[in-house]
Amino acid sequence: MVQTLQAKWNNRGLRFGIGGSISFDVVPQGWDKTVALKYLGDYRTIHFFGDRTGEYGNDREIYNHER
């Protein structure tokens, strides 16, 4: 379903991701969980726990972030 929505609405500036077992997220492009990192200041180590780190998962961006 996420792939279908993304294909249909790809030029609207939206991002679709798998949220949980029975949900999906729809957010503006660039709005993902990495936004939280700017509030963590200069912490050298950040531990993240997430289960949706695959291609369409809503944890992918923060899981792959350089911090």
Side-chain angles (χ1 to χ4, degrees), residues 19 33 47-54 57-60 62-63:
K33 293 180 180 182
H47 298 279
F48 169 75
F49 299 90
D51 63 343
R52 299 293 181 183
T53 58
N58 68 343
D59 297 322
R60 181 180 179 85
I62 195 164
Y63 178 75

Side-chain angles (χ1 to χ4, degrees), residues 3-64:
Q3 291 173 322
T4 301
L5 290 169
Q6 196 158 312
K8 182 175 176 92
W9 299 91
N10 68 346
N11 62 347
R12 304 287 176 114
L14 298 174
R15 181 194 177 279
F16 298 87
I18 299 170
S21 296
I22 59 168
S23 68
F24 59 89
D25 296 345
V26 181
V27 296
Q29 268 310 351
W31 287 30
D32 55 49
K33 293 180 180 182
T34 60
V35 172
L37 295 174
K38 69 181 177 182
Y39 299 104
L40 296 177
D42 294 329
Y43 285 99
R44 296 176 73 177
T45 303
I46 298 170
H47 298 279
F48 169 75
F49 299 90
D51 63 343
R52 299 293 181 183
T53 58
E55 183 177 2
Y56 293 100
N58 68 343
D59 297 322
R60 181 180 179 85
E61 289 82 8
I62 195 164
Y63 178 75
N64 290 315

